[in-house]
Short mmCIF file of all heavy atoms in Angstrom, two decimals:
data_model
loop_
_atom_site.label_atom_id
_atom_site.label_comp_id
_atom_site.label_asym_id
_atom_site.label_seq_id
_atom_site.Cartn_x
_atom_site.Cartn_y
_atom_site.Cartn_z
N LYS A 819 303.31 140.09 214.42
CA LYS A 819 302.26 140.96 214.19
C LYS A 819 301.09 140.28 213.38
O LYS A 819 300.04 140.70 213.43
CB LYS A 819 302.78 142.16 213.35
CG LYS A 819 303.70 142.92 214.11
CD LYS A 819 303.94 144.34 213.47
CE LYS A 819 304.86 145.03 214.37
NZ LYS A 819 304.96 146.50 214.10
N GLU A 820 301.32 139.13 212.73
CA GLU A 820 300.36 138.37 212.12
C GLU A 820 299.43 137.63 213.04
O GLU A 820 300.03 136.96 213.98
CB GLU A 820 300.93 137.43 211.04
CG GLU A 820 301.51 138.10 209.95
CD GLU A 820 302.01 137.10 208.90
OE1 GLU A 820 301.48 135.87 208.93
OE2 GLU A 820 302.99 137.36 208.21
N PRO A 821 298.13 137.74 212.94
CA PRO A 821 297.32 136.98 213.87
C PRO A 821 297.38 135.43 213.63
O PRO A 821 297.58 135.08 212.51
CB PRO A 821 295.88 137.48 213.67
CG PRO A 821 295.95 138.03 212.35
CD PRO A 821 297.29 138.47 211.96
N ARG A 822 297.19 134.76 214.74
CA ARG A 822 297.17 133.25 214.53
C ARG A 822 295.95 132.81 214.05
O ARG A 822 294.87 133.36 214.35
CB ARG A 822 297.44 132.60 215.92
CG ARG A 822 298.98 132.60 216.31
CD ARG A 822 299.12 131.82 217.58
NE ARG A 822 298.96 132.64 218.66
CZ ARG A 822 298.59 132.27 219.91
NH1 ARG A 822 298.56 131.03 220.16
NH2 ARG A 822 298.43 133.13 220.84
N PRO A 823 295.85 131.83 213.10
CA PRO A 823 294.57 131.33 212.64
C PRO A 823 293.75 130.75 213.72
O PRO A 823 294.29 130.17 214.58
CB PRO A 823 294.95 130.33 211.64
CG PRO A 823 296.43 130.02 211.78
CD PRO A 823 296.95 131.12 212.55
N VAL A 824 292.45 130.97 213.54
CA VAL A 824 291.50 130.50 214.64
C VAL A 824 291.28 128.98 214.34
O VAL A 824 291.10 128.53 213.21
CB VAL A 824 290.11 131.21 214.41
CG1 VAL A 824 289.12 130.73 215.40
CG2 VAL A 824 290.33 132.66 214.55
N ASP A 825 291.31 128.21 215.43
CA ASP A 825 291.25 126.79 215.37
C ASP A 825 289.70 126.45 215.53
O ASP A 825 289.04 126.68 216.49
CB ASP A 825 291.95 126.19 216.59
CG ASP A 825 291.78 124.64 216.52
OD1 ASP A 825 291.49 124.04 215.45
OD2 ASP A 825 291.87 124.01 217.65
N LEU A 826 289.19 126.06 214.41
CA LEU A 826 287.77 125.65 214.24
C LEU A 826 287.50 124.26 214.42
O LEU A 826 286.27 123.68 214.24
CB LEU A 826 287.12 126.10 212.91
CG LEU A 826 287.25 127.64 212.70
CD1 LEU A 826 286.62 127.97 211.34
CD2 LEU A 826 286.41 128.35 213.80
N SER A 827 288.48 123.38 214.79
CA SER A 827 288.25 122.00 214.87
C SER A 827 287.25 121.50 215.95
O SER A 827 286.62 120.60 215.78
CB SER A 827 289.64 121.30 215.19
OG SER A 827 290.16 121.70 216.32
N PRO A 828 287.08 122.29 217.05
CA PRO A 828 285.99 121.91 218.07
C PRO A 828 284.65 122.01 217.46
O PRO A 828 283.71 121.34 217.98
CB PRO A 828 286.07 122.90 219.21
CG PRO A 828 287.56 123.38 219.06
CD PRO A 828 287.88 123.40 217.56
N LEU A 829 284.37 122.73 216.31
CA LEU A 829 283.14 122.81 215.70
C LEU A 829 282.82 121.72 214.68
O LEU A 829 281.74 121.64 214.21
CB LEU A 829 283.04 124.23 214.98
CG LEU A 829 283.17 125.44 215.87
CD1 LEU A 829 283.07 126.64 214.95
CD2 LEU A 829 281.99 125.45 216.89
N ALA A 830 283.80 120.91 214.41
CA ALA A 830 283.62 119.81 213.46
C ALA A 830 282.65 118.79 213.87
O ALA A 830 282.56 118.48 215.12
CB ALA A 830 285.04 119.14 213.14
N LEU A 831 281.92 118.19 212.98
CA LEU A 831 280.98 117.18 213.39
C LEU A 831 281.66 115.79 213.43
O LEU A 831 282.63 115.52 212.63
CB LEU A 831 279.90 117.05 212.30
CG LEU A 831 278.92 118.15 212.16
CD1 LEU A 831 278.03 118.08 210.94
CD2 LEU A 831 278.06 118.36 213.48
N PRO A 832 281.14 114.92 214.27
CA PRO A 832 281.76 113.56 214.31
C PRO A 832 281.46 112.92 212.92
O PRO A 832 280.52 113.21 212.23
CB PRO A 832 280.98 112.85 215.34
CG PRO A 832 280.28 114.02 216.17
CD PRO A 832 280.24 115.10 215.36
N ASP A 833 282.29 112.00 212.52
CA ASP A 833 282.19 111.36 211.22
C ASP A 833 280.85 110.64 210.95
O ASP A 833 280.29 110.76 209.99
CB ASP A 833 283.36 110.36 210.96
CG ASP A 833 284.65 111.04 210.90
OD1 ASP A 833 284.71 112.29 210.43
OD2 ASP A 833 285.74 110.45 211.06
N LEU A 834 280.43 109.96 211.98
CA LEU A 834 279.15 109.28 211.84
C LEU A 834 277.98 110.17 211.63
O LEU A 834 277.02 110.05 210.78
CB LEU A 834 278.97 108.37 213.09
CG LEU A 834 277.64 107.52 213.05
CD1 LEU A 834 277.67 106.58 211.90
CD2 LEU A 834 277.47 106.80 214.36
N ARG A 835 277.93 111.23 212.31
CA ARG A 835 276.81 112.30 212.18
C ARG A 835 276.90 112.93 210.87
O ARG A 835 275.79 113.13 210.24
CB ARG A 835 276.86 113.33 213.36
CG ARG A 835 275.70 114.28 213.29
CD ARG A 835 275.70 115.08 214.56
NE ARG A 835 274.51 115.95 214.42
CZ ARG A 835 274.45 117.03 215.13
NH1 ARG A 835 275.30 117.38 216.05
NH2 ARG A 835 273.38 117.86 214.97
N ARG A 836 278.08 113.32 210.43
CA ARG A 836 278.25 113.94 209.07
C ARG A 836 277.73 112.96 208.00
O ARG A 836 277.08 113.50 207.06
CB ARG A 836 279.65 114.38 208.92
CG ARG A 836 279.91 115.10 207.61
CD ARG A 836 281.27 115.56 207.38
NE ARG A 836 282.23 114.55 207.46
CZ ARG A 836 283.22 114.49 208.38
NH1 ARG A 836 283.35 115.53 209.26
NH2 ARG A 836 284.14 113.61 208.40
N GLU A 837 278.06 111.74 208.03
CA GLU A 837 277.62 110.80 207.06
C GLU A 837 276.17 110.59 207.01
O GLU A 837 275.60 110.55 206.06
CB GLU A 837 278.36 109.40 207.38
CG GLU A 837 279.75 109.34 206.98
CD GLU A 837 280.06 109.66 205.53
OE1 GLU A 837 279.28 109.21 204.64
OE2 GLU A 837 280.95 110.40 205.32
N ARG A 838 275.52 110.60 208.28
CA ARG A 838 274.09 110.52 208.29
C ARG A 838 273.45 111.74 207.59
O ARG A 838 272.39 111.62 206.86
CB ARG A 838 273.61 110.44 209.75
CG ARG A 838 273.71 109.06 210.41
CD ARG A 838 273.24 109.10 211.78
NE ARG A 838 273.63 107.86 212.43
CZ ARG A 838 273.50 107.71 213.73
NH1 ARG A 838 273.14 108.65 214.52
NH2 ARG A 838 273.86 106.51 214.27
N MET A 839 273.95 112.90 207.92
CA MET A 839 273.42 114.14 207.29
C MET A 839 273.54 114.09 205.85
O MET A 839 272.66 114.47 205.01
CB MET A 839 274.17 115.33 207.89
CG MET A 839 273.82 115.61 209.28
SD MET A 839 274.64 117.05 210.07
CE MET A 839 274.03 118.43 209.16
N VAL A 840 274.79 113.62 205.41
CA VAL A 840 274.93 113.59 203.85
C VAL A 840 273.87 112.58 203.25
O VAL A 840 273.32 112.93 202.17
CB VAL A 840 276.38 113.13 203.50
CG1 VAL A 840 276.52 112.74 202.08
CG2 VAL A 840 277.32 114.24 203.94
N ARG A 841 273.71 111.48 203.85
CA ARG A 841 272.71 110.47 203.31
C ARG A 841 271.30 111.05 203.38
O ARG A 841 270.57 110.72 202.42
CB ARG A 841 272.86 109.18 204.18
CG ARG A 841 273.92 108.28 203.68
CD ARG A 841 273.74 106.94 204.37
NE ARG A 841 274.89 106.83 205.36
CZ ARG A 841 274.80 106.57 206.59
NH1 ARG A 841 273.66 106.27 207.12
NH2 ARG A 841 275.84 106.55 207.34
N ALA A 842 271.02 111.78 204.36
CA ALA A 842 269.71 112.38 204.39
C ALA A 842 269.43 113.40 203.35
O ALA A 842 268.37 113.42 202.74
CB ALA A 842 269.35 113.09 205.88
N VAL A 843 270.42 114.24 203.09
CA VAL A 843 270.31 115.20 202.02
C VAL A 843 270.12 114.61 200.64
O VAL A 843 269.39 114.95 199.86
CB VAL A 843 271.53 116.29 202.15
CG1 VAL A 843 271.48 117.14 200.91
CG2 VAL A 843 271.41 117.07 203.33
N LEU A 844 271.07 113.64 200.42
CA LEU A 844 270.97 112.84 199.14
C LEU A 844 269.59 112.17 199.00
O LEU A 844 269.06 112.10 197.86
CB LEU A 844 272.17 111.87 199.04
CG LEU A 844 273.56 112.48 198.87
CD1 LEU A 844 274.57 111.46 198.87
CD2 LEU A 844 273.55 113.40 197.62
N ALA A 845 269.09 111.55 200.02
CA ALA A 845 267.83 110.96 199.95
C ALA A 845 266.70 111.93 199.62
O ALA A 845 265.82 111.61 198.73
CB ALA A 845 267.47 110.20 201.22
N ARG A 846 266.74 113.10 200.18
CA ARG A 846 265.72 114.07 199.87
C ARG A 846 265.90 114.57 198.42
O ARG A 846 264.86 114.78 197.76
CB ARG A 846 265.81 115.33 200.81
CG ARG A 846 265.37 115.04 202.12
CD ARG A 846 265.15 116.32 202.96
NE ARG A 846 265.46 115.89 204.37
CZ ARG A 846 266.34 116.47 205.21
NH1 ARG A 846 267.07 117.47 204.74
NH2 ARG A 846 266.51 116.16 206.37
N ALA A 847 267.10 114.70 197.99
CA ALA A 847 267.34 115.12 196.62
C ALA A 847 266.77 114.14 195.59
O ALA A 847 266.22 114.51 194.55
CB ALA A 847 268.77 115.39 196.37
N GLN A 848 266.98 112.83 195.90
CA GLN A 848 266.51 111.77 194.96
C GLN A 848 264.88 111.77 194.96
O GLN A 848 264.28 111.53 193.97
CB GLN A 848 267.07 110.49 195.37
CG GLN A 848 268.50 110.25 195.11
CD GLN A 848 269.04 108.92 195.61
OE1 GLN A 848 268.33 108.23 196.41
NE2 GLN A 848 270.27 108.64 195.29
N THR A 849 264.34 112.06 196.12
CA THR A 849 262.82 112.01 196.19
C THR A 849 262.32 113.22 195.42
O THR A 849 261.38 113.03 194.65
CB THR A 849 262.36 112.23 197.65
OG1 THR A 849 262.94 111.12 198.44
CG2 THR A 849 260.93 112.13 197.71
N ALA A 850 263.02 114.37 195.38
CA ALA A 850 262.47 115.51 194.74
C ALA A 850 262.69 115.28 193.24
O ALA A 850 261.81 115.70 192.38
CB ALA A 850 263.27 116.82 195.09
N ALA A 851 263.82 114.67 192.81
CA ALA A 851 264.03 114.41 191.43
C ALA A 851 263.02 113.37 190.90
O ALA A 851 262.64 113.42 189.70
CB ALA A 851 265.49 113.84 191.20
#
């Protein structure tokens, strides 16, 4: 009767793209500071 958890792994970003996004956010934060 318990529902199975939804598999969200297809929505995950590739490692390289995630790293680029993290670097971009950190660069903007340093500029603002």
Side-chain angles (χ1 to χ4, degrees):
K819 296 191 179 198
E820 289 183 26
R822 282 188 273 161
V824 178
D825 181 23
L826 298 177
S827 60
L829 298 176
L831 290 173
D833 291 337
L834 181 62
R835 184 168 179 201
R836 184 176 54 243
E837 288 300 320
R838 284 183 187 163
M839 289 176 68
V840 168
R841 275 189 254 128
V843 169
L844 290 176
R846 284 190 215 128
Q848 289 174 352
T849 304

